[in-house]
Amino acid sequence: MSAVLYERLGGAAAITSIANDIVDLHQQNPRISPRFAGSDTPVLKRRVATFFSMGTGGPSEYEGQAMLEAHRGMNIDCAEFIAVVDDALEALRRNGVGQREQEEVLFILYSMKADIVKV
């Protein structure tokens, strides 16, 4: 498997579609939608796409806060974290992403858990 995850996901266009679906799902998810109330949706979608691209080996450079700093004091619980992960996996499925790549994204998401939950 020589291609980086970014390429196997389909590159910029596919990751933009995935990111858009993730944000839409988060905003519709009753468990976490209050966290996104008042968000600038187009800006949020761009940030998620950039972060997702960078995190999967793409060319984008994420300029936002580190995960720990972005989530410090938000008191995010495990159920909210799982809701976010579930939405991300649903977005991957909707975009035809294969099982292997879904598992790799899941690994990446779980690697950030300590910087997000109860910090």
Side-chain angles (χ1 to χ4, degrees):
M1 207 176 307
S2 60
V4 296
L5 181 56
Y6 171 83
E7 293 167 354
R8 289 183 282 126
L9 290 170
I15 286 179
T16 297
S17 180
I18 292 165
N20 289 343
D21 285 349
I22 289 170
V23 171
D24 291 343
L25 288 164
H26 287 353
Q27 290 177 330
Q28 297 164 13
N29 187 328
R31 182 71 180 101
I32 58 174
S33 61
R35 297 275 188 186
F36 297 93
S39 294
D40 183 335
T41 300
V43 169
L44 183 58
K45 287 180 176 184
R46 280 192 303 276
R47 286 182 180 159
V48 170
T50 301
F51 182 78
F52 206 94
S53 173
M54 189 248 354
T56 58
S60 296
E61 289 190 38
Y62 178 72
E63 296 176 358
Q65 292 179 312
M67 285 294 102
L68 182 59
E69 292 308 312
H71 296 93
R72 187 182 307 279
M74 291 179 70
N75 202 30
I76 295 169
D77 64 29
C78 285
E80 289 175 300
F81 181 79
I82 296 299
V84 166
V85 170
D86 287 347
D87 286 350
L89 290 175
E90 177 59 25
L92 293 170
R93 284 190 287 273
R94 287 183 181 188
N95 284 274
V97 173
Q99 183 66 34
R100 170 74 181 172
E101 288 74 20
Q102 288 182 42
E103 291 169 2
E104 289 180 53
V105 170
L106 182 62
F107 176 81
I108 292 167
L109 294 173
Y110 267 92
S111 75
M112 296 184 287
K113 184 179 178 184
D115 290 339
I116 297 171
V117 175
K118 299 289 186 186
V119 295

